């Protein structure tokens, strides 16, 4: 008998949003009538593929319980960690009783509220038969320079450089063990890097440019603009 493969979403949402310089973590800022994290979670739920969405929330977070979405039956929470990778591992552990090693996990930043069902389905369909898994990514339109101090010491081959987005999609067992092996390593800034450290080669899947991460104050207006343009 073959087990039915399930899909789980993991959302790290325990950051403080230092670069945003606001009065609260950026995931709780308002954007088009809802908080950023509500948009993100409603879009993941709206993709209708996930058995559950595991969200890592800081233990000092007073905002989360006030959101209606926190009571959604498909949403479970886990304590956030010191770094993003710690929060992701904590969320993975919170579903260990229900998830199987072969299930797929899509890790998606709470701070990317413009993600579309199209992007989620395209990522899943592209990687469903892949051994390792992979990530949504964008190529760079600008010429990229290698710089020391303020001096250019070379030009990078743009065709070989991609920007890593989320969701990032890996098997539950592989992702959990890769993150455990990399615990405390500051070079692990996304899930793919934890797998790369294991000698594996995750794939890239070209994502949509509207799937931006809210990082700095000007990104909120840009996210609002993209949302107004989206009709899927
Ligand atoms: N994140 C997390 N736990 C941490 C740090 C980050 O769950 N210890 C989450 C953030 O909430 C965000 C995602 O990881 O949804 C991407 O991180 P980033 O954009 O860097 O958010 P912050 O760390 O909050 O922002 P900053 O780096 O500006 O402080
Ligand atoms: Mg950060």
């Amino acid at each position: 008998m073959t087990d039915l493969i399930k899909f789980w979403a993991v959302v790290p949402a325990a950051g403080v949003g230092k670069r945003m310089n606001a009065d609260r973590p950026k995931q709780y800022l308002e954007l088009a009538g809802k908080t950023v994290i509500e948009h993100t979670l409603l879009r993941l739920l709206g993709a209708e593929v996930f058995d559950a969405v595991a969200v890592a929330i800081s233990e000092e977070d007073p905002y989360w319980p006030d959101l209606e979405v926190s009571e959604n039956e498909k949403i479970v929470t886990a304590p956030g960690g010191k770094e993003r990778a710690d929060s992701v591992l904590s969320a993975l552990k919170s579903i260990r009783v229900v998830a199987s090693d072969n299930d797929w996990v899509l890790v998606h930043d709470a701070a990317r509220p413009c993600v579309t069902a199209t992007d989620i389905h395209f990522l899943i369909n592209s990687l469903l038969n892949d051994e390792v898994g992979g990530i949504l990514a964008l190529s760079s339109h600008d010429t990229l320079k290698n710089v020391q101090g303020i001096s250019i010491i070379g030009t990078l081959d743009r065709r070989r450089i991609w920007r890593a987005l989320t969701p990032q999609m890996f098997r539950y067992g592989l992702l959990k063990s890769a993150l455990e092996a990399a615990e405390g390593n500051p070079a692990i800034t996304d899930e793919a890097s934890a797998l790369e450290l294991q000698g594996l080669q995750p794939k890239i899947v070209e994502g949509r440019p509207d799937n931006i991460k809210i990082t700095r104050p000007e990104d909120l207006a840009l996210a609002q603009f993209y949302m107004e343009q989206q009709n899927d």
Side-chain angles (χ1 to χ4, degrees):
M1 203 181 86
T2 52
D3 284 344
L4 200 62
I5 300 286
K6 291 185 169 144
F7 292 87
W8 308 91
V10 158
V11 178
V16 294
K18 214 165 44 203
R19 288 168 287 181
M20 200 68 193
N21 207 10
D23 67 343
R24 64 193 66 196
K26 60 192 180 183
Q27 56 274 28
Y28 297 110
L29 295 174
E30 200 191 300
L31 164 66
K34 290 191 199 80
T35 58
V36 167
I37 191 171
E38 286 175 289
H39 283 289
T40 307
L41 294 175
L42 292 173
R43 282 170 177 235
L44 291 171
L45 292 165
E48 298 193 326
V49 286
F50 300 113
D51 267 52
V53 180
V55 190
I57 299 286
S58 161
E59 284 174 302
E60 282 119 59
D61 179 339
Y63 305 102
W64 171 254
D66 288 342
L67 301 183
E68 202 181 313
V69 76
S70 71
E71 280 163 28
N72 188 293
E73 55 178 18
K74 287 211 165 191
I75 291 185
V76 294
T77 57
K82 194 162 160 279
E83 303 296 335
R84 181 182 177 284
D86 304 314
S87 296
V88 170
L89 187 54
S90 167
L92 285 174
K93 286 178 179 165
S94 77
I95 52 168
R96 79 180 129 202
V97 183
V98 282
S100 304
D101 278 356
N102 267 337
D103 287 350
W104 287 109
V105 178
L106 275 72
V107 181
H108 183 67
D109 293 326
R112 290 187 192 271
C114 300
V115 66
T116 52
T118 335
D119 247 358
I120 295 168
H121 296 152
F122 184 55
L123 180 69
I124 290 176
N125 291 332
S126 304
L127 297 174
L128 207 48
N129 298 315
D130 196 88
E131 288 283 303
V132 178
I135 72 172
L136 285 179
L138 276 180
S139 58
S140 175
H141 295 165
D142 300 317
T143 297
L144 295 159
K145 298 297 186 189
N146 195 356
V147 172
Q148 242 167 34
I150 56 163
S151 302
I152 296 171
I153 55 170
T155 299
L156 301 173
D157 182 354
R158 202 173 57 189
R159 290 163 305 177
R160 299 186 57 174
I161 307 285
W162 289 71
R163 295 190 284 144
L165 313 178
T166 73
Q168 303 205 350
M169 170 170 156
F170 297 104
R171 304 268 183 191
Y172 180 84
L174 195 57
L175 178 59
K176 185 160 166 287
S177 59
L179 286 172
E180 278 167 346
E183 250 182 301
N185 182 339
I188 305 303
T189 51
D190 69 349
E191 289 58 59
S193 47
L195 278 100
E196 292 157 36
L197 216 64
Q198 300 289 303
L200 297 167
Q201 296 182 337
K203 304 286 187 308
I204 52 133
V205 174
E206 186 160 14
R208 290 170 41 146
D210 55 1
N211 182 13
I212 61 164
K213 181 160 71 86
I214 306 231
T215 305
R216 296 177 186 277
E218 59 271 23
D219 296 330
L220 267 185
L222 188 56
Q224 172 140 8
F225 170 79
Y226 279 133
M227 278 186 180
E228 284 161 9
Q229 304 296 307
Q230 292 171 339
N231 43 22
D232 46 354

